Amino acid sequence: MSVERRLDVNRHWCKGCRICVAFCPRNVLALDREGKVVVMRPDDCIWCGDCEIRCPDLAITIVKEAAS
Amino acid sequence: MTQTRSGTVEFLQGNEVCAEAAIYAGMRFYAGYPITPSTEIAERLALRLPQVGGTCIQMEDEIGSLCSVIGASLTGMKGMTATSGPGYSLMQEAVGYAIMAEVPLVIVDVQRGGPSTGLPTHASQGDVMQVRWGTHGDHAIVCLSASTHQDLFETMIRAFNVSETFRTPVIVLIDEIVGHMREPVRIPDAGEYELTERLLTNVPRDVDYHPYLPREDGRLPMSHFGGEHRYNVTGLYHDMWGFPSDNPQVTNDLIHHLMNKLENRKRDLTFTKEWNTTDADIMLISYGASARSARHIMEDRRAVGMRMGLIELQTLWPFPGELIRERCRGASYVVVVEMNMGQIVHEVKAAVERPERVFLANRVDGEMITPADIKHLVRVIQGKGI
Amino acid sequence: MPHIWCPGCGHGIVLNSLLRAVEKLQLERNDIVMISGIGCSARIQGYVDFHTMHTLHGRALAFATGIKMAWPLLKVIVPMGDGDALAIGGNHFIHAARRNIDVTAIIMNNSIYGMTGGQHSPLTQCGDHATTAPYGTVDSPFDVVQLASAAGASFIARTTTYHARDMTRLLAAAIEHKGFSVVEVLSQCPTYYGRKNDAGDAVAMMERFRDETVKVTADGAVPGDRSGRMDGAHEPVPVGLFRREERPEYCEAYRTRVMEPALEQAQSAARDVSP
């Protein structure tokens, strides 16, 4: 059984400060028209966790789930 | 080595009595900063507290002293600090915090002459109104006093009992004379006085606990800070969980609770000593060292047939106005004896039916008011001249 | 509910790192007390499920001293802002350091008073602008590391919100350290400091934390020869662990050097008088 990972964004907590977008080494994230973060290129993510640890709003989490 | 034994009579300074009585009452955390004329309290406790497993720390200032006492008290320890006027001025912010966060503790203020550095080694009773209104905002406060060492011992125990019962700071207000005078005091036996311990919550672990939800009697069952219930403590207006709130209903309820828990229990908080008050034509009202001179002249005048009586206030705040009105009803004159420019006299005037018959016998030169000083004033009132 | 801090505020990153540090140490929530003062930094205490206390401006360390002395087994963490730690609370800070009481002080340095709307602080650089320094700040700032060092703190570190992984590691080490530990975190205030000083947004400010800092070596030394620089060129700010040393902790010292001998003396005196 493998482990699947994904980036979970809490849009309610996100204040659109752009920190995660700017410091992502693979340009995975972007702000949408409402100024909230969205995962634009999930396949490029290398799971470094930089966005997760630098988010001042604790709005991004790497979620690990067991794949079926 | 310095130790006191229950049942024995010791020859102590008033400041030392404060220290010994606090230990008797169960106080186990003291923080303070040296200041004349209160320093002997800290010196005695630095020696004595560790002997009973307590903790004594000399902080960097009076502000830090009271703040650390608040911290220690929240963990369940009975805590205390002692100071004099200038140091008490520095503590005012933290006094307000203790009132708002409902933290039991005792502060001894050994008064000196003021304002400012004033007369550090002389007698004065100028802090009565600082105790009442020193911290900002509406609040109720408890202030006790004593004029003899035996009474002071009991007053200190009372102070801790009241503070634990109502979760409020209690100020014991004495003066340089009571603090530095030596007289015999009998150390009570263990169990002779009832000691009030903190009311603890019986809400079990992991069940929603409301640290700031008062019972009907105004008391708040507490959980030791650091214990099994995690909650918030703040100086802001707060809800029943201790979290900040500016909801008008919450705000209104809290300020009324803080006032009413003390003002509505004035009767339980009123302690006085009375001599010859039933037939008194001239009623003296006094407290602290001044009450010693008042008692002396009262006995002296009684001996020559003058109907003089004395009420010694052992509770200054909340002021026992109803009792004063009642007792002074039959008196032709009321003389308030205090060592300041007139502080309690205004409360007495507000309480009695005929305020124009209330006079102030005072002394503000740093010397103790004498029985002769009071006698002279009484002669003037009676139109007899000095 | 989103927290109260402005978009991009560095204080949220400190909260983020702190929670990770506590998780890493696998501490029991019931064993942690967090005591804050007043200001933006002080609000961090409202977002953690520990025993929490929101006290008076500058006095958090004094409250913490009482709690720690009364209950030495508790882990006591004190987050502070510029004013809490070094202006109104400066005296409590140096004395807590001098005593080496086992408390973790986190100084969230954003060079400004944020809660009151952007006044200069004792950590504002000389020349920086603030609402109370419209012509630029005349005052010189404290160097927190040097101040803590002179005052006697036994654990001293500095990091930034850019270096969030280092921050988590340093906070965990500070909490574990037995003695007074100081972690200064350079934190961005885009709303007031950033706007007043044309410092750009939160990202630009964090890029400066990345580019204008230098990591100290393992022994706390700043790399490179910095002597003889008289040209006033912008010096990089050293970050990392500056000191970690064993020194008698205050509560422990009180117990072994005061309380135990006093108890012993009292017991033997009681034996002497008993029949």
Side-chain angles (χ1 to χ4, degrees):
Chain A
M1 195 168 66
S2 65
V3 173
E4 214 164 73
R5 291 182 288 198
R6 63 182 171 83
L7 282 174
D8 185 63
V9 174
N10 183 336
R11 281 180 64 82
H12 189 50
W13 286 7
C14 175
K15 293 184 187 136
C17 68
R18 209 172 57 85
I19 290 172
C20 56
V21 178
F23 293 114
C24 174
R26 294 294 165 101
N27 273 321
V28 172
L29 303 163
L31 296 188
D32 65 12
R33 266 184 227 151
E34 287 175 35
K36 306 267 184 181
V37 68
V38 284
V39 185
M40 285 286 281
R41 284 171 284 274
D43 296 342
D44 291 354
C45 182
I46 54 169
W47 314 110
C48 69
D50 278 9
C51 54
E52 186 183 26
I53 61 165
R54 288 211 188 93
C55 176
D57 297 292
L58 293 96
I60 307 180
T61 317
I62 298 175
V63 182
K64 294 176 187 170
E65 283 165 346
S68 52
Chain B
M1 73 179 299
T2 306
Q3 271 185 304
T4 55
R5 271 168 238 298
S6 53
T8 60
V9 174
E10 305 265 347
F11 191 61
L12 297 177
Q13 252 192 359
N15 284 340
E16 294 165 344
V17 172
C18 288
E20 291 301 331
I23 290 174
Y24 182 97
M27 188 274 290
R28 290 295 180 270
F29 185 91
Y30 178 91
Y33 188 80
I35 183 168
T36 305
S38 75
T39 308
E40 293 83 1
I41 297 175
E43 289 174 337
R44 182 86 172 190
L45 288 170
L47 183 75
R48 290 278 289 124
L49 265 181
Q51 293 175 355
V52 293
T55 300
C56 182
I57 181 172
Q58 182 168 312
M59 290 296 285
E60 50 273 17
D61 55 27
E62 287 87 348
I63 301 168
S65 300
L66 186 50
C67 292
S68 64
V69 171
I70 293 172
S73 176
L74 278 171
T75 70
M77 269 196 187
K78 288 184 181 175
M80 162 177 144
T81 186
T83 187
S84 185
Y88 191 54
S89 295
L90 287 177
M91 289 179 184
Q92 293 308 328
E93 188 189 25
V95 170
Y97 189 92
I99 291 169
M100 185 58 120
E102 303 191 59
V103 182
L105 54 90
V106 171
I107 303 167
V108 181
D109 175 0
V110 188
Q111 297 166 94
R112 58 158 74 181
S116 188
T117 316
L119 288 168
T121 57
H122 287 262
S124 167
Q125 295 175 317
D127 293 358
V128 176
M129 282 297 167
Q130 178 177 221
V131 169
R132 180 62 192 89
W133 292 115
T135 195
H136 63 276
D138 285 320
H139 58 274
I141 196 92
V142 180
C143 174
L144 308 178
S145 188
S147 65
T148 72
H149 287 9
Q150 204 63 55
D151 287 353
L152 182 56
F153 204 107
E154 188 174 352
T155 295
M156 287 296 297
I157 296 168
R158 237 176 231 162
F160 281 98
N161 286 353
V162 168
S163 117
E164 292 294 334
T165 303
F166 297 105
R167 284 186 57 173
T168 191
V170 174
I171 289 83
V172 174
L173 190 63
I174 57 172
D175 46 71
E176 191 274 338
I177 294 166
V178 172
H180 279 161
M181 177 179 64
R182 284 187 184 275
E183 66 179 3
V185 58
R186 193 184 64 80
I187 307 298
D189 292 323
E192 194 174 322
Y193 285 99
E194 199 176 319
L195 305 179
T196 306
E197 300 306 329
R198 202 160 297 181
L199 180 67
L200 295 177
T201 180
N202 51 17
V203 173
R205 190 187 175 115
D206 299 325
V207 174
D208 193 14
Y209 160 63
H210 304 122
Y212 288 101
L213 183 66
R215 304 195 312 194
E216 269 186 20
D217 61 0
R219 295 187 70 183
L220 293 175
M222 193 163 174
S223 172
H224 291 156
F225 203 67
E228 54 185 21
H229 292 289
R230 293 185 299 278
Y231 60 96
N232 190 51
V233 179
T234 178
L236 291 166
Y237 275 88
H238 48 269
D239 59 23
M240 61 186 173
W241 292 277
F243 280 99
S245 171
D246 54 7
N247 175 305
Q249 188 66 50
V250 170
T251 303
N252 188 63
D253 288 352
L254 180 53
I255 184 67
H256 280 96
H257 158 68
L258 293 176
M259 300 288 286
N260 293 346
K261 74 174 181 179
L262 299 174
E263 295 290 344
N264 289 356
R265 287 173 182 78
K266 227 178 227 187
R267 198 165 298 175
D268 301 335
L269 298 172
T270 296
F271 304 101
T272 56
K273 286 180 94 169
E274 300 181 21
W275 290 270
N276 301 316
T277 52
T278 46
D279 70 339
D281 185 48
I282 297 178
M283 184 73 85
L284 305 182
I285 297 174
S286 192
Y287 53 93
S290 303
R292 297 175 74 99
S293 291
R295 186 173 170 195
H296 188 103
I297 193 63
M298 182 271 301
E299 284 167 356
D300 179 82
R301 296 291 85 189
R302 276 273 161 186
V304 297
M306 192 186 285
R307 284 191 291 127
M308 195 180 263
L310 168 63
I311 303 170
E312 180 188 341
L313 299 173
Q314 293 189 320
T315 299
L316 294 176
W317 307 115
F319 187 75
E322 282 165 36
L323 180 139
I324 295 292
R325 180 164 61 248
E326 190 61 37
R327 297 292 190 278
C328 295
R329 194 161 277 148
S332 302
Y333 302 103
V334 176
V335 178
V336 178
V337 185
E338 53 184 343
M339 288 184 280
N340 53 46
M341 295 295 284
Q343 299 199 12
I344 281 294
V345 69
H346 298 296
E347 296 298 316
V348 173
K349 278 178 186 270
V352 299
E353 285 161 4
R354 292 179 298 170
E356 71 281 4
R357 301 293 181 91
V358 176
F359 297 88
L360 171 66
N362 71 340
R363 186 155 180 172
V364 289
D365 60 356
E367 297 298 316
M368 180 166 177
I369 190 164
T370 63
D373 293 332
I374 304 166
K375 184 167 86 178
H376 291 157
L377 183 94
V378 170
R379 286 180 65 89
V380 172
I381 295 168
Q382 292 177 318
K384 294 179 183 169
I386 295 174
Chain C
M1 197 165 67
H3 59 52
I4 68 155
W5 292 309
C6 303
C9 174
H11 291 1
I13 307 180
V14 179
L15 171 63
N16 191 328
S17 286
L18 179 72
L19 293 174
R20 286 170 205 283
V22 169
E23 191 183 24
K24 188 174 154 186
L25 295 173
Q26 297 192 302
L27 298 175
E28 267 286 323
R29 284 174 301 176
N30 270 347
D31 295 338
I32 309 172
V33 178
M34 185 181 270
I35 304 163
S36 68
I38 295 291
C40 295
S41 62
R43 292 309 184 102
I44 193 170
Q45 144 273 44
Y47 302 106
V48 294
D49 185 12
F50 312 141
H51 300 284
T52 54
M53 197 174 175
H54 181 223
T55 67
L56 301 167
H57 194 31
R59 315 298 171 208
L61 282 171
F63 284 89
T65 300
I67 288 182
K68 184 70 186 179
M69 286 285 277
W71 200 330
L73 292 177
L74 294 169
K75 288 277 182 199
V76 181
I77 301 171
V78 179
M80 292 179 286
D82 307 17
D84 259 340
L86 295 151
I88 189 167
N91 201 32
H92 304 302
F93 177 69
I94 56 174
H95 286 274
R98 174 177 67 85
R99 293 188 189 104
N100 197 35
I101 190 161
D102 186 15
V103 168
T104 303
I106 305 169
I107 302 178
M108 299 149 82
N109 170 6
N110 58 7
S111 304
I112 203 93
Y113 286 130
M115 186 65 88
T116 44
Q119 299 75 34
H120 71 90
S121 87
L123 297 178
T124 307
Q125 294 295 317
C126 191
D128 279 358
H129 287 74
T131 59
T132 46
Y135 304 101
T137 308
V138 180
D139 309 34
S140 293
F142 279 123
D143 180 317
V144 176
V145 170
Q146 286 184 18
L147 182 70
S149 167
S154 54
F155 182 107
I156 306 168
R158 180 192 281 133
T159 184
T160 83
T161 50
Y162 174 80
H163 303 89
R165 270 202 184 81
D166 291 345
M167 195 196 325
T168 303
R169 189 173 51 77
L170 289 168
L171 286 173
I175 293 166
E176 270 199 313
H177 177 76
K178 199 159 177 60
F180 191 69
S181 48
V182 179
V183 180
E184 181 192 12
V185 184
L186 306 186
S187 176
Q188 70 276 12
C189 171
T191 303
Y192 289 111
Y193 182 84
R195 277 206 296 231
K196 278 278 165 195
N197 292 284
D198 298 324
D201 64 0
V203 171
M205 295 174 81
M206 285 174 72
E207 282 169 350
R208 219 162 298 126
F209 292 154
R210 179 189 65 198
D211 301 336
E212 295 175 10
T213 51
V214 55
K215 288 202 182 180
V216 296
T217 56
D219 59 352
V222 181
D225 178 16
R226 291 151 56 84
S227 60
R229 283 278 294 273
M230 300 291 285
D231 55 3
H234 205 70
E235 292 279 355
V237 179
V239 292
L241 179 61
F242 293 82
R243 178 188 284 174
R244 174 156 51 182
E245 66 181 25
E246 294 293 316
R247 204 155 70 74
E249 192 276 325
Y250 192 76
C251 303
E252 182 77 11
Y254 187 83
R255 187 174 61 77
T256 57
R257 283 162 40 194
V258 179
M259 200 187 287
E260 284 170 3
L263 279 167
E264 174 75 21
Q265 276 178 26
Q267 278 159 5
S268 72
R271 275 195 300 273
D272 290 347
V273 294
S274 57

